[in-house]
Amino acid sequence: MDKKHILNNGICIVSEDIPSFYSITVGIWIKNGSRYEDKYTNGISHFIEHMTFKGTKRRTARQIAEEMDSIGGQLDAFTGREYTCFYAKIMDKHLPTALDILSDILLNSSFETSEIEKEKNVVLEEIKMYVDSPDEFVHDLCAQALWGEHSLGMPILGTKENVLDISREKIKNFFDIQYGPKNILVSLAGNLQHDNVIKLIDEYFGKHLSDVIPLTINTPDAKVNKKIVTKDLEQVHICLGTKGVSFADDSRHILSILNTILGGSMSSRLFQEVREKRGLAYSIGSYYDSYVDTGTIVIYAATSVEKVNELLKIIVQEIMNLREEFVSDNELKRAKEQLKGNFILAMESTSNRMIKLAKQESYFGKTFTVDEILSEVDKVKKEDIKKLANDLFKLESFSLAAVGPIDAQNISILA
């Protein structure tokens, strides 16, 4: 059963006790990410994530790693557009040690200038690696095309110029604003007792106080742009993106089924038509991202330059088919069963359960049972999918991004 508690300083705790497990995954979620940055600070959230592992007042970077290894645990972090998460997966008996380490790196990081300068090189290499991976870089390019200069269109890693300009003072200023207790959510799943968890988290995080008001966000308008990066590659990597729905939107379950049918699986229309039937691409599919107030749905593919426009015609046709025709009964049933199966299998992991708890609390202010979620999926009808496709899939609202041996004049969704 999921439980919730808020500490006196404002930190929210959500937990799920799973007695049959021997492990616990604990995540410290910060309401902060690249969306809370501007063109001058873009990349600082990701850089702070790196720096928290570089040493505290009590531990060196090596001691942090060795102490977690000594209990057989896993310690890591990731930065998204709307949140940053620091998490540990440990045997249940080692939860106090994990919380001690997590609280130390979050609340007592040294942010030493010498370490900052070294880490700049690490992040710059990470940016280079990302740009050198067209199958990843094209997605950032699509976000830029769709959201323009809004922070949702900025890369999570930041830019070379911004990384070089980061200083200890900038880190401290941003950290003090965004890492206050009212921006912190602690999510746990595994073999635990909620009352004991509250005492432990209060011990390690309860004295964290801040009167600083966190940054706020504004809702962007989706754009229609074309972003092309001409590069000497064997393939052209393309993304077609348009506005989707927010995380808590009533149509979120409809969108998940729509995406599964369009390109979210090996039995999807795009995979079967583009790869299996025509052999036009090895990589083809679709996905969606949702945020607190908006979202995106994106189609990705990679093919040779001479086949790009043929591929785009087929993608556009499949989009139009979903607008104009009802999906078949078999498609709908298969998509529902696939989604439900994937969800149930994911719940076998304490890490996935921890993430589910955190996201539901962050975006809904409550958590849903497995049965409630499966029931919502089952309620989706063919009429719902057709209506949502008509709402979202307007050809004139798609942005196009491409990386490869092609220029803007030679690629178009209207070709």
Side-chain angles (χ1 to χ4, degrees), residues 194-350:
H194 187 73
D195 291 342
N196 290 342
V197 162
I198 292 171
K199 291 177 184 177
L200 280 171
I201 296 172
D202 194 27
E203 177 184 346
Y204 290 110
F205 288 91
K207 294 179 181 178
H208 180 40
L209 302 172
S210 175
D211 293 326
V212 180
I213 299 174
L215 298 170
T216 57
I217 55 176
N218 63 301
T219 303
D221 293 321
K223 314 292 182 184
V224 179
N225 286 315
K226 186 188 289 187
K227 292 276 185 179
I228 311 297
V229 173
T230 303
K231 221 170 185 182
D232 186 16
L233 301 171
E234 292 295 323
Q235 290 184 307
V236 180
H237 297 258
I238 60 171
C239 276
L240 276 178
T242 191
K243 186 177 178 180
V245 304
S246 65
F247 200 94
D249 192 280
D250 290 340
S251 63
R252 62 190 181 278
H253 297 297
I254 304 171
L255 178 59
S256 65
I257 294 176
L258 170 62
N259 176 68
T260 300
I261 292 171
L262 175 62
S265 68
M266 290 180 66
S267 64
S268 69
R269 293 185 176 190
L270 285 176
F271 192 93
Q272 289 298 315
E273 186 68 24
V274 171
R275 175 170 160 165
E276 298 299 283
K277 182 177 178 180
R278 300 174 184 265
L280 287 176
Y282 174 78
S283 296
I284 177 72
S286 64
Y287 66 91
Y288 63 94
D289 285 323
S290 294
Y291 309 110
V292 68
D293 54 357
T294 189
T296 61
I297 182 162
V298 177
I299 298 161
Y300 163 78
T303 192
S304 57
V305 64
E306 62 271 12
K307 297 177 182 176
V308 168
N309 286 314
E310 180 185 357
L311 173 60
L312 283 170
K313 282 183 180 179
I314 296 168
I315 292 172
V316 168
Q317 185 58 57
E318 292 301 330
I319 290 171
M320 292 301 104
N321 287 345
L322 284 170
R323 282 174 52 91
E324 296 164 4
E325 304 167 1
F326 289 109
V327 300
S328 70
D329 291 335
N330 285 337
E331 274 186 306
L332 182 58
K333 180 180 179 180
R334 186 168 62 242
K336 286 182 178 180
E337 291 305 310
Q338 182 187 353
L339 282 171
K340 292 189 293 184
N342 289 344
F343 179 72
I344 292 295
L345 292 176
M347 291 301 98
E348 300 289 324
S349 158
T350 57

